[in-house]
Amino acid sequence: MTFQTRFTPRRTRGFTLLELLVVMVILGMLAGYVAPKYFAQIGKSETNTARSQIEALEKALDMFRIDTGRYPTSDEGLLALTHAPADESRWSGPYLKKSVPSDPWGRPYIYRQPGEQGDYDLFSLGKDGQPGGMAEAADVRAGS
């Protein structure tokens, strides 16, 4: 008597195409809801970083003025906070621990002395690099 074992392949159950499509739609809806909120927070944090850096630069400029009796000229720029101007004997810097930072978008801060709105103007043109703008593209100015 011979026993013949019969092997029938087990059918492994997988996901149907419809189930996969439903999961993809749900994930897409979640991403569509979460992504804009996440990227809006990134924009706000860059603007807050620019504000913080401008405040630190303002303090360094004030320390420069206390020592020298004046703010750096536009020609000397913010570099005068880390390197003594050639004709300034009362300079007691450096007034920054590190070099002058770029804004969060990788461009240099704009410094003008005398300023249109005070002793000096210090600002970043924002994400778009153009004057004016709204939200992330808005200029970030000293005192704003």
Side-chain angles (χ1 to χ4, degrees):
M1 189 189 256
T2 61
F3 290 99
Q4 189 175 25
T5 55
R6 190 171 210 196
F7 292 104
T8 56
R10 287 189 174 172
R11 185 169 178 208
T12 56
R13 187 161 184 328
F15 292 106
T16 66
L17 181 60
L18 181 61
E19 291 169 331
L20 289 174
L21 288 174
V22 168
V23 169
M24 296 294 283
V25 167
I26 290 171
L27 289 174
M29 289 171 45
L30 285 172
Y33 177 74
V34 172
K37 292 183 183 297
Y38 174 74
F39 289 115
Q41 290 300 322
I42 290 174
K44 287 179 187 175
S45 68
E46 288 172 334
T47 301
N48 289 338
T49 299
R51 271 197 194 93
S52 296
Q53 288 178 335
I54 286 174
E55 287 175 12
L57 290 170
E58 285 180 304
K59 290 175 184 170
L61 286 165
D62 289 340
M63 290 174 61
F64 180 97
R65 187 180 69 84
I66 289 169
D67 287 346
T68 64
R70 66 178 181 84
Y71 287 109
T73 64
S74 292
D75 290 336
E76 294 168 339
L78 297 174
L79 188 60
L81 299 174
T82 56
H83 297 86
D87 60 345
E88 188 56 63
S89 61
R90 297 182 293 174
W91 189 84
S92 298
Y95 300 97
L96 296 172
K97 290 181 180 180
K98 298 180 181 179
S99 62
V100 177
S102 297
D103 71 11
W105 301 279
R107 292 184 294 276
Y109 285 100
I110 298 170
Y111 173 77
R112 294 185 196 134
Q113 197 283 326
E116 296 174 4
Q117 302 174 355
D119 293 326
Y120 61 85
D121 291 335
L122 176 60
F123 59 97
S124 166
L125 293 174
K127 184 175 184 175
D128 65 353
Q130 302 295 319
M134 303 283 290
E136 292 176 35
D139 297 351
V140 181
R141 296 187 170 271
S144 64

